[in-house]
């Protein structure tokens, strides 16, 4: 390793540093675009290894150039290609595919394959080319030394990304930092080789990049393409996914990894999420709300005058968005808790009268953890004797596809493992209300008895007979022999 020229050793280190950081950013961007689907990670790794291997093979047949001309060109490509790829990843999503539609595995594979192709070919080629150049200059096979330096750069990059860069900078900002370092290195080599025209071009590109990053919010500009006809108000990369707030009229929509978590100024959704379950308990004093507390649901819970509302969110950035939506978190009865709901429920000794699981559908492994037998067993331990639990899925009362039927069957059969009685109340969503006590689907009369003043969940908008008919339709379409949902199946 000591025989390697310091300048070339720096390029090898920078190659390892850049490729790992860019790989992490690509994974984060693809997860952001495709709803946090963990399958994307496997597809990216598969394509990354295949394409990088092809690039390395191409480098083997390349003519060795010790004049640094080709190295300068490779550094410029490594600096600029990732920015183009991130832009296209977000821009092409709704151009090539229908907005909001989940892609199948073939579409995901091909989409990631062609977007990763340019950078992976270049980075794979660069490693083989650098190994050949350094070995030729030293007149000795130094591939193992080159690999060691590149690996050291990769390890350093992984540590820096995990402990610093990913926590304080957006994906675009990190890419600009990496691009600037690569362009600065290319500039130094062009000066060293007296390539002044190239030097001037590199300087111009670098200045344009820095000015663009300073004047424009490039991350916001890129993400805007994922949310057509909505105004993007806020964006933040978090360890749990990209968090986006958009505005449609007077309504704010909160997305995590492009998956709609909840919306503000939506009294129907807020009332349904709360009252269908809360009204089943005679005197709910302790309530556990898992996610979705910043949109107005807490205001609905407070109508029952509980002693305490424990509101759990795994992502602290969501609570920071409360300033956009509500002041209900300031109520002294509301206890906001930043932790994983699985961990909280497992360790909690307190007994709850109502547990509202206000999460999106189990479309990812991360979300699915809250819809399993194991989690329900843990919830059961913290429920009071006549406690009530509520889940929800997107509505299917008017039409139930094969996939919707299977999903509801799995969720229902899983809930049956823990609860004697289950109501399915079809509203804007399909609500699964569960308890060991007897439940009543006549929601309008129960609301009237409580004297609650609601905009939608009341006798003027809801009809008990219609609720029963819609519920019966869903029950008739359930598959009683579908397997239950567990943490590992």
């Amino acid at each position: 390793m000591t025989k390697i020229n310091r300048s070339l050793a720096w390029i090898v280190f920078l190659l390892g540093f850049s490729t790992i950081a860019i790989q992490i950013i690509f994974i984060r961007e693809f997860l952001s675009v495709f709803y946090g689907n963990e399958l994307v990670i496997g597809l990216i790794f598969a394509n990354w290894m295949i394409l990088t291997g092809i690039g390395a093979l191409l480098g083997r047949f390349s003519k060795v150039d010790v004049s640094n001309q080709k190295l300068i060109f490779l550094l410029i490509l490594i600096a600029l290609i990732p920015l183009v790829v991130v832009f296209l990843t977000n821009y092409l999503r709704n151009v090539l595919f229908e907005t909001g539609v989940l892609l199948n595995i073939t579409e995901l594979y091909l989409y990631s394959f062609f977007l990763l192709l340019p950078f992976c070919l270049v980075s794979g080629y660069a490693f083989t080319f650098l190994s050949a150049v350094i070995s030729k200059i030293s007149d000795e096979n130094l591939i193992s030394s080159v690999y060691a330096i590149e690996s050291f750069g990769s390890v350093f990059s992984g540590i820096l990304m995990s402990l610093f860069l990913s926590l304080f900078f957006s994906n675009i900002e990190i890419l600009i930092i990496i691009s600037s370092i690569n362009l600065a290195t290319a500039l130094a080599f062009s000066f060293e080789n007296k390539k002044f025209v190239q030097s001037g071009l590199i300087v111009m590109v670098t200045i344009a990049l820095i000015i663009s990053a300073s004047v424009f919010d490039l991350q916001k500009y890129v993400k805007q393409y994922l949310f057509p006809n909505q105004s993007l108000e806020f964006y933040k990369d978090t360890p749990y996914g990209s968090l986006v707030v958009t505005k449609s009229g007077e309504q704010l929509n909160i997305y995590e990894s492009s998956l709609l978590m909840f919306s503000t100024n939506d009294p129907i959704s807020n009332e349904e999420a709360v009252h269908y379950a809360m009204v089943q308990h005679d005197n709910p004093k302790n309530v556990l709300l898992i996610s979705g507390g910043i949109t107005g649901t807490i205001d609905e819970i407070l109508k029952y005058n509980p002693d305490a509302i424990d509101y759990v969110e795994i992502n602290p950035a969501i609570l920071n968005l409360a300033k956009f939506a509500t002041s209900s978190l300031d109520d002294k009865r509301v206890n906001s808790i930043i932790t994983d709901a699985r961990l909280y429920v497992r360790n909690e000794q307190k007994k709850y009268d109502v547990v509202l699981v206000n999460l999106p559908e189990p479309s990812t492994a991360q979300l699915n953890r809250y819809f399993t037998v194991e989690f329900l067993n843990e919830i059961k331990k913290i429920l009071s004797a006549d406690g009530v639990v509520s889940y929800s899925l997107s509505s299917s009362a008017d039409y139930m596809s094969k996939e919707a039927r299977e999903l509801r069957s799995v969720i229902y059969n899983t809930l049956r493992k823990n609860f004697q009685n289950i109501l399915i109340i079809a509203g804007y969503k399909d609500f699964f209300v569960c308890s060991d006590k007897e439940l009543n689907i006549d929601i309008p009369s129960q609301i009237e008895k409580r004297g609650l003043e609601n905009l939608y969940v009341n006798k003027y908008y809801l009809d008990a007979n219609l609720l029963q008919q819609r519920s019966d339709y869903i029950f008739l379409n359930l598959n009683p022999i579908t397997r239950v949902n567990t943490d590992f199946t």
Side-chain angles (χ1 to χ4, degrees), residues 18 41 59 74 77 132 181 237 246 276 300 319 380 398 411 450:
S18 300
I41 299 175
L74 288 172
L77 289 179
I181 296 172
D237 285 312
T246 67
Y276 290 162
E300 298 302 320
L319 287 185
K380 197 71 180 289
D398 297 317
I411 297 301
R450 297 287 181 104

Side-chain angles (χ1 to χ4, degrees), residues 53-163:
I54 294 173
L57 183 63
L58 293 174
R60 180 181 178 184
F61 301 104
S62 175
K63 181 180 178 181
V64 177
D65 176 14
V66 297
S67 67
N68 294 330
Q69 179 79 16
K70 192 174 291 186
L71 279 178
I72 294 170
F73 183 63
L74 288 172
L75 285 167
I76 294 173
L77 289 179
I78 291 172
L80 299 181
I81 288 176
L83 290 167
V84 176
V85 171
V86 167
F87 171 77
L88 291 177
T89 299
N90 290 272
Y91 174 74
L92 293 177
R93 167 62 181 87
N94 292 328
V95 173
L96 299 179
F97 308 101
E98 290 291 331
T99 302
V101 174
L102 291 172
L103 275 63
N104 62 45
I105 190 169
T106 303
E107 292 169 330
L108 282 172
Y109 180 82
L110 293 175
Y111 192 75
S112 61
F113 181 91
F114 287 107
L115 285 170
L116 294 176
L117 187 146
F119 180 80
C120 289
L121 289 183
V122 170
S123 62
Y125 178 93
F127 176 80
T128 305
F129 180 75
L130 278 165
S131 299
V133 169
I134 291 171
S135 296
K136 184 172 182 178
I137 291 175
S138 304
D139 197 23
E140 182 182 353
N141 189 336
L142 295 178
I143 294 177
S144 59
S145 297
V146 172
Y147 183 78
I149 297 173
E150 194 263 355
S151 298
F152 181 66
S154 299
V155 171
F156 182 73
S157 176
I159 294 172
L160 193 63
M161 283 289 293
S162 299
L163 300 181

